[in-house]
Amino acid sequence: METSGCLVNCGGVPVHITFLHPGTAKYFRGCLMQESDCDAAACAGSEELHVQCTGDFLEENRWLVGCQDVPGEILEFHALMLAAGSRLLARRRAVFHGAAFCWRDLAWILTAPSGTGKTTQLVHWIHTQGRDVRTINGDKPILDCSSEGSVYVCSSPWRGKERYGHPHMRVELGGIIFLRQGSTNTIRRMEAEEAVPLLFAEFISSRESAEEIRQQADQLDRVMRTVPVWELVNVGDEESALLTQKAIGEYLQSRQDRQIWHLRQGVTLVTAAGVYLLAADRSAQRACDSVCRINETGALIWNMLQKGAALPAIVSAVQQQYQAADARAVEADVKNFIAALRRKGYITRDVIMPERSMY
Amino acid sequence: MTGIMNEKYKAAPGVVYTAVCGHAYLVTPEDILEINETSAFFWQYLGTGITVKELAEKAAASYAIGDASALLADIRYFVDALLSRHMLVRYTA
């Protein structure tokens, strides 16, 4: 049988897929590796993976499509997901079963065994949040655990029967919502020991070797240590989506309160004749201006940032110093100042300090 | 209880011991089971060809328990749970 292939972007890893059925190629259109992706992958030292399925592998995994008489190309499309899922684990990526979307600049994954109502919840989010929600992948996004600090959620070719999702998205993971059907709507944070077995089952891989299972466990460990997991018991209505949004909103507020910023090394706050200046040494000047004038409030904020203070402490200090009554206005000013420092290269990155209760 | 005292067990093919967030799990392609510290100790030695009686004595020494027979019920419970989930098989030389 004639073979054909294509190069697909799987969470930043170039995956060269060889088809047994040439007709399978059409299911990967829109997810092909773009030139810029190839460059980025090459820069990151990510070598191509090669994935293909044998006829026997397709037959062994016919259960993936649930019926006997599907065309070979559809069976191959799904079997390739399993094969790629297994191979990607060694690259610290994983194909995960869930509906992933971006909201408030972070990715959220609705997960559960098939038929529980992931797509229904996703539709409620889209109805209630409109354009603030952007679907990454409606069924099998790829988790990228290869970076330090954050886990990222990426588009994948396996978008489910509704084909929800956009290609080439990569968004930092904010959290996971595990769905259960129920007679009322309730939401709560899950403990690691109850979440781990449930989430483990939602990783897509053949788990054929001990190494694969350990790699999967390592990635789940990383996810669990990075983001919270909620259990949403729900009746499948819009109210349940609103309840989740409220819970996530509260979490995001607490996350903001735990955010601290790293200042560029080699930048010093100096005072000359009552003027405050950020002065960069030769090494720091590669990334920011040699001198930047800031006012007295800016100097106070800089000193607080240097001590590793989070936003509430900085806002409180500024309020106290200037006896400002309007905390919201002060918070907005502080955020603007920090954003400007970041734009100008004086802040290198931000870090979310872990919650005390984080697993 | 005496029936199992001299029995030996070994891990079923494909069972992997792993840890996530500080919790220990036994995982197969189809199943996952969380185990506590004592069970992890049992698991570590069950596959080495020692009898249940020897395992009880080893655990008693390790956890400073005077009467090794006090652990037999726990071992029995653990072994039965793993056998029913096809994570452990009886070892016959």
Side-chain angles (χ1 to χ4, degrees):
Chain A
M1 188 180 288
E2 191 184 328
T3 58
S4 60
C6 66
L7 190 63
V8 177
N9 181 357
C10 287
V13 177
V15 177
H16 194 276
I17 297 179
T18 303
F19 301 119
L20 204 54
H21 298 278
T24 310
K26 62 178 171 286
Y27 298 105
F28 290 90
R29 276 182 208 144
C31 300
L32 301 183
M33 200 89 182
Q34 295 170 337
E35 206 169 308
S36 56
D37 298 330
C38 288
D39 292 345
C43 285
S46 194
E47 288 174 21
E48 266 183 43
L49 271 183
H50 290 262
V51 174
Q52 69 182 108
C53 298
T54 62
D56 286 346
F57 188 79
L58 296 194
E59 287 310 316
E60 281 166 22
N61 292 292
R62 197 168 268 283
W63 60 271
L64 283 167
V65 288
C67 56
Q68 287 296 314
D69 55 351
V70 294
E73 58 195 43
I74 293 182
L75 180 56
E76 183 175 30
F77 176 64
H78 286 86
L80 282 166
M81 172 184 73
L82 194 62
S86 294
R87 299 290 308 282
L88 283 166
L89 288 169
R91 302 291 180 89
R92 304 188 66 176
R93 270 83 168 178
V95 180
F96 190 77
H97 180 212
F101 58 92
C102 178
W103 182 65
R104 296 198 184 174
D105 300 324
L106 290 169
W108 308 94
I109 300 179
L110 302 160
T111 188
S114 295
T116 309
K118 292 184 293 294
T119 307
T120 304
Q121 276 296 322
L122 178 62
V123 168
H124 289 325
W125 273 80
I126 294 167
H127 282 168
T128 53
Q129 292 289 320
R131 290 185 175 187
D132 290 343
V133 167
R134 189 168 160 83
T135 310
I136 300 168
N137 183 292
D139 196 42
K140 306 277 184 350
I142 292 173
L143 300 178
D144 176 358
C145 301
S146 65
S147 313
E148 281 300 310
S150 302
V151 173
Y152 291 85
V153 181
C154 308
S155 309
S156 91
W158 299 282
R159 292 188 288 166
K161 55 184 184 292
E162 292 88 2
R163 310 291 295 154
Y164 282 122
H166 295 86
H168 308 297
M169 286 183 74
R170 183 175 186 269
V171 182
E172 184 185 342
L173 178 62
I176 295 175
I177 302 110
F178 188 86
L179 305 178
R180 286 188 200 277
Q181 293 174 341
S183 53
T184 55
N185 295 325
T186 56
I187 192 163
R188 68 180 180 91
R189 286 280 289 273
M190 294 181 89
E191 297 294 332
E193 55 264 43
E194 51 180 337
V196 165
L198 299 172
L199 298 187
F200 203 91
E202 304 304 331
F203 279 73
I204 308 296
S205 79
S206 58
R207 293 181 210 153
E208 272 180 353
S209 69
E211 185 58 18
E212 229 175 82
I213 289 174
R214 289 200 184 93
Q215 287 166 346
Q216 189 176 309
D218 285 349
Q219 302 210 24
L220 180 54
D221 184 84
R222 179 74 195 289
V223 168
M224 296 293 300
R225 290 179 190 278
T226 310
V227 299
V229 179
W230 287 270
E231 179 197 61
L232 173 66
V233 178
N234 72 100
V235 298
D237 60 356
E238 251 180 37
E239 286 300 316
S240 57
L242 295 171
L243 182 69
T244 312
Q245 288 157 23
K246 184 169 177 283
I248 292 179
E250 287 166 2
Y251 163 73
L252 287 177
Q253 180 62 51
S254 84
R255 189 178 188 270
Q256 179 182 285
D257 293 349
R258 288 180 283 111
Q259 185 176 21
I260 61 165
W261 293 266
H262 283 207
L263 305 181
R264 184 166 298 286
Q265 281 197 332
V267 177
T268 313
L269 174 64
V270 294
T271 318
V275 175
Y276 295 95
L277 299 171
L278 294 178
D281 67 14
R282 187 165 293 178
S283 142
Q285 282 173 31
R286 292 194 201 113
C288 57
D289 290 342
S290 56
V291 175
C292 174
R293 184 172 174 172
I294 58 175
N295 62 20
E296 191 185 345
T297 316
L300 172 62
I301 296 171
W302 179 268
N303 283 328
M304 295 288 291
L305 290 172
Q306 210 159 30
K307 289 176 191 161
L311 189 66
I314 300 173
V315 170
S316 166
V318 173
Q319 256 191 301
Q320 209 170 348
Q321 180 79 15
Y322 299 101
Q323 296 180 345
D326 189 350
R328 294 184 79 166
V330 172
E331 184 178 308
D333 287 345
V334 171
K335 281 182 177 173
N336 284 338
F337 179 73
I338 291 171
L341 288 177
R342 179 164 217 149
R343 254 194 330 273
K344 291 178 178 179
Y346 293 103
I347 286 177
T348 54
R349 64 189 177 98
D350 56 291
V351 176
I352 309 295
M353 300 303 286
E355 293 171 282
R356 279 199 193 132
S357 62
M358 197 65 108
Y359 318 116
Chain B
M1 189 69 78
T2 52
I4 71 156
M5 292 287 273
N6 294 314
E7 282 189 357
K8 296 179 181 179
Y9 299 87
K10 63 178 180 180
V15 182
V16 177
Y17 172 85
T18 190
V20 180
C21 296
H23 297 265
Y25 297 89
L26 295 177
V27 184
T28 71
E30 298 84 25
D31 199 4
I32 179 167
L33 174 69
E34 187 189 355
I35 56 175
N36 63 20
E37 189 193 333
T38 316
S39 299
F41 181 94
F42 294 161
W43 175 259
Q44 187 188 346
Y45 288 102
L46 264 177
T48 63
I50 65 172
T51 64
V52 167
K53 182 169 175 273
E54 287 164 343
L55 174 59
E57 286 165 358
K58 202 173 258 299
S62 183
Y63 292 102
I65 296 169
D67 180 11
S69 65
L71 286 166
L72 285 172
D74 288 343
I75 297 173
R76 178 70 194 246
Y77 181 81
F78 181 62
V79 164
D80 284 348
L82 296 194
L83 286 173
S84 70
R85 295 174 87 135
H86 309 292
M87 290 179 164
L88 201 65
V89 288
R90 278 193 182 85
Y91 176 75
T92 46

